[in-house]
Amino acid sequence: MLIGVIGAGISGLVAARKLALAGHDVIVFEKSKGFGGRLATRYSGEDKKIKFDHGSPHIHGKDPRFLDFIEELETKGIVKKWCNGFHYWNGETLYDQHPERAKTPYYFAPEGMNSIGRYLSRWVDVRLNSRVIGMTYLGDKKGKKSPWMLNFESSDTFEVDAIILATPAVQTYGLIENSQDEIIFKRIIKEIDEIAYNPKYSLMITYNQQDIPEWKGISCNDETIHWIANESSKRDNDGKLTLICHSKGPFTRNHLFKGSSDETVRSEMVLALRKIIGDWAGNFDDSDMRLWRYSQPRTFLDQDYVDTGNPNAPVGIVGDYLKGSTTEQAYISGHELANHWIKRLSV
């Protein structure tokens, strides 16, 4: 069976790999130039030696299915243990750990978090810079012809036997709306439309002559900054101190509503950063910023995946908004849909 996966985030890539290993032909279509979704890395500086994990700075989990995956990545040398916990800013004082959080292992990828997506892509055909804008249902042909046609922004089309939608809920809803037969999605489309996200700014900062702090990351009780990552504690970033500040959801939504400039947002985030780690934080040498509109779901559906139930024209939906909001749940979502389809669909 030829399966088209829309989206090369972790849920889509995990489902694609499992289905490919089970004997299906799988093609992943990704609108951007890289894979991994929020497991993203930006390269900076001369010769692009500096790496910023500006999406998800680490992975961790409790579910045995995801822990097995982390062990696989660790065995392959793709991830390493970073620490057992992070510092905590309570709004007034910086503590060496959060008083209400148990210690648990956190892992990072020395070559950048996007190396996890690259690893998963080895088993499938991934086509980057391929934006799917809609789907056309051609009917249950039962082997005579593929039941689905993918429609691309380039005006190209591609026929597949099954589709997996592995994009944020907002984008999945848009693809469904642009399909030629919404009846197939009738029972799920309203629920997907109600999924809400926290956006965030990722502010990446470089200091050429600053000592590297001992802390790995800081969880913040602050109106502006949600989290601070010490990227230089992961790898030698060209001998420089590199930090990433992730903004709070309400702060981000407010500035998006006002149409604030990047400079305004940067100034307010740096001001908050100075309060948390010291005035020296304002004396940076370089900075960059990325907006994640769909950073983390605030609401989610109470199921691991969605299967529209038509065995002659299968469509599945996966993502971190299916029963959770984390990288761990995104993995489980893709993993479980693939297991379901391996049992249900013939090769």
Side-chain angles (χ1 to χ4, degrees), residues 64 83 153 246 276 288 293 342:
C83 58
E153 188 177 49
H246 300 284
I276 297 168
D288 194 5
R293 289 189 179 275
I342 288 169

Side-chain angles (χ1 to χ4, degrees), residues 27-204:
I27 302 176
V28 180
F29 300 99
E30 169 57 43
K31 64 181 177 62
S32 69
K33 61 182 180 179
F35 28 63
R38 290 198 307 276
L39 295 176
T41 305
R42 180 166 291 189
Y43 301 86
S44 182
E46 293 183 11
D47 301 323
K48 304 296 182 181
K49 292 180 180 178
I50 297 175
K51 299 181 180 71
F52 287 101
D53 294 326
H54 64 300
S56 298
H58 56 72
I59 57 173
H60 74 288
K62 299 178 180 179
D63 190 285
R65 293 166 290 185
F66 191 55
L67 292 178
D68 284 346
F69 179 58
I70 291 178
E71 183 178 358
E72 175 187 347
L73 294 175
E74 190 173 20
T75 300
K76 298 290 184 181
I78 296 168
V79 302
K80 288 184 176 181
K81 184 179 174 182
W82 193 13
C83 58
N84 286 318
F86 301 103
H87 281 55
Y88 174 64
W89 168 258
N90 72 348
E92 296 180 352
T93 305
L94 182 62
Y95 295 93
D96 61 3
Q97 67 181 58
H98 196 294
E100 298 177 0
R101 294 180 186 170
K103 290 185 176 181
T104 185
Y106 292 84
Y107 297 83
F108 75 98
E111 296 303 315
M113 294 300 284
N114 62 353
S115 62
I116 298 175
R118 286 201 303 271
Y119 171 71
L120 287 169
S121 72
R122 294 176 185 176
W123 286 267
V124 295
D125 179 3
V126 180
R127 303 187 184 182
L128 303 176
N129 299 305
S130 299
R131 183 187 292 270
V132 178
I133 60 173
M135 307 167 291
T136 301
Y137 177 54
L138 302 176
D140 296 351
K141 302 300 181 181
K142 298 182 180 180
K144 295 179 182 179
K145 190 177 181 181
S146 297
W148 288 105
M149 183 169 68
L150 301 179
N151 307 301
F152 292 84
E153 188 177 49
S154 63
S155 298
D156 291 337
T157 60
F158 193 90
E159 292 186 11
V160 294
D161 301 314
I163 298 173
I164 295 177
L165 300 172
T167 59
V170 175
Q171 295 171 2
T172 294
Y173 181 84
L175 287 166
I176 292 173
E177 274 204 318
N178 286 334
S179 69
Q180 300 300 312
D181 193 336
E182 292 184 27
I183 295 175
I184 295 174
F185 306 98
K186 185 176 180 180
R187 72 178 182 87
I188 198 68
I189 188 170
K190 185 177 183 297
E191 295 179 69
I192 291 177
D193 187 38
E194 292 175 353
I195 300 297
Y197 281 81
N198 270 327
K200 76 175 179 184
Y201 294 105
S202 290
L203 177 60
M204 295 159 269

Side-chain angles (χ1 to χ4, degrees), residues 278-293:
D279 281 337
W280 62 266
N283 299 319
F284 54 89
D285 295 282
D286 195 14
S287 70
D288 194 5
M289 191 156 61
R290 159 73 191 266
L291 169 64
W292 294 90
R293 289 189 179 275

